[in-house]
Structures are given as structure tokens and as C-alpha cells.
Amino acid sequence: MDWLDSNIYIKEEALYFDSKIPSVMSKDEDLIMEKSAQILCKNKGSILNVGFGMGIIDSYIKSYSPKKHTIIEIHPKVYEMALEMGFKENIILGDWEDVVQEFITDKVTFDSIYFDTISFSKENDQWGKFTKVVDKLLNPGGIYCFFNQYGSVRGKVEEYMDKLDYKKIVEIIPYDKIIKNVSRSNPKLSKKNYRLVYYIKNNLS
């Protein structure tokens, strides 16, 4: 993964690597991340977030003072940025597949999980792989939420989760509210309402 050796920079409120990769996150997602953090923190328990990005959702999660807040980040430069932002006690540097396997082996579980990482191709389906191990990581009544755009669609996240004994909840965030405080002239997000999808384990509410 050559991109792991790349530098990172933030331009026009978006995060880029210096390799030929489009922006991987932007402030356009701020309201989505705020609402997602509210949902994840509903049960006031332990939270796992996979993929730090610009730290938007983790900053919101931190504001709720959860029981425990754990982050997995694979890119060394993003990891360094997270440390500078004050997440030293929370973040693990590494490939989520390796870290999660350790969690499963050690029987480490969480009350809420959020997934939003990079999946460059159909062959590298991070979303589908992660979703298939979520049940081993969530406590009863636990919440699974994710960034519901291209990666999750390719990974058929909802298609897989809908087969499990989980309660599915969909909240709609209007597009005009998403971009209300966005200063960029060309927002990255699709110009449509956002479906904020989350699941509650064992159909508990």
C-alpha cells in the first residue's frame, strides 16, 4: 500500500494524500458526523471508530465523554495528526483487520461501532469484510453505524446486516441542512439527502 508512505495535507477544508487520490474526507460531512456521534453515544457506553480521517466524528464523540473511546487508524501521518489533536490515549496505529482480530481473540467488545475507512477498489472491499465481524465486536444492544456512501454500497453493508437479528433505523438528513454551514464552493457530497443508517444488536432499542 504505497499510499501509506504519502504525506497528508488539508486544503479547502478537505483531507488529501500527496499521492493521486481524491480527497478522503471534508468538512462537508460535519453535520453527518455530528448526528452519527449522537447516535453512537446514546447508550453512554464504549465506542470503537475505525478510520480517523480529519477527526470530525471523534471530536464529537469525545464531547459526550463516553465510557471508553477507541480509534483505529492505519496511516502514520493521520495517526500523528490525531495525537496532535489530543487523542493520544484513544488511538491505535495499525491495520484494522489485525487489530480487530486481537480484539476478538481477547474478547474485547464495544457498545457502539462506527466504520468509515478507505476502500480503493472492489477487490479491496474493506466495508464488507468489516461488517462480517461486527457481531463479534458488539455487546447486546450495541449500535453499528457507518458512513453510508460508495464504500458501504459496494460492500453491500445493508444487504448483509438486514439478514441479522438487528433492528434497523434510518434517519434522513436533508441536503440543504448538510451544506448550510459549508464554505467550500464545490461540496464533495452527492447533492441529495443523506440516509443515516444504523443497526441495534439483537433487535433491542
Side-chain angles (χ1 to χ4, degrees), residues 4-152:
L4 289 177
D5 296 322
S6 62
N7 288 313
I8 62 171
Y9 63 96
I10 294 176
K11 179 182 178 182
E12 295 181 345
E13 299 183 317
L15 175 66
Y16 294 85
F17 297 124
D18 61 11
S19 52
K20 295 180 179 179
I21 300 172
S23 64
V24 296
M25 189 173 204
S26 70
K27 285 288 287 182
D28 306 347
E29 302 163 22
D30 190 86
L31 181 60
I32 292 171
M33 295 300 163
E34 180 182 8
K35 297 294 185 182
S36 298
Q38 289 175 0
I39 288 167
L40 294 163
C41 295
K42 275 183 176 182
N43 54 29
K44 305 183 187 302
S46 56
I47 298 175
L48 170 66
N49 176 40
V50 182
F52 184 78
M54 294 172 68
I56 300 174
I57 194 167
D58 288 300
S59 295
Y60 281 119
I61 290 171
K62 187 176 182 180
S63 72
Y64 285 98
S65 301
K67 180 179 178 182
K68 186 178 181 181
H69 180 191
T70 304
I71 306 161
I72 303 173
E73 173 56 51
I74 192 172
H75 196 286
K77 296 296 184 183
V78 176
Y79 172 79
E80 289 176 12
M81 181 175 71
L83 297 182
E84 292 172 1
M85 290 175 63
F87 291 95
K88 183 177 180 180
E89 305 301 324
N90 310 80
I91 192 161
I92 300 169
L93 174 63
D95 188 324
W96 71 257
E97 293 188 60
D98 297 330
V99 177
V100 162
Q101 188 52 59
E102 290 182 18
F103 287 160
I104 293 172
T105 299
D106 296 339
K107 294 182 170 50
V108 176
T109 54
F110 301 88
D111 297 305
S112 295
I113 295 175
Y114 192 78
F115 189 83
D116 180 15
T117 188
I118 298 172
S119 188
F120 292 122
S121 66
K122 294 180 181 178
E123 293 72 29
N124 185 26
D125 174 25
Q126 300 287 300
W127 300 79
K129 288 180 183 177
F130 184 81
T131 299
K132 288 178 174 62
V133 299
V134 161
D135 196 60
K136 296 179 181 179
L137 298 168
L138 266 182
N139 293 323
I143 298 167
Y144 176 42
C145 188
F146 48 90
F147 188 62
N148 181 29
Q149 288 212 333
Y150 311 113
S152 67

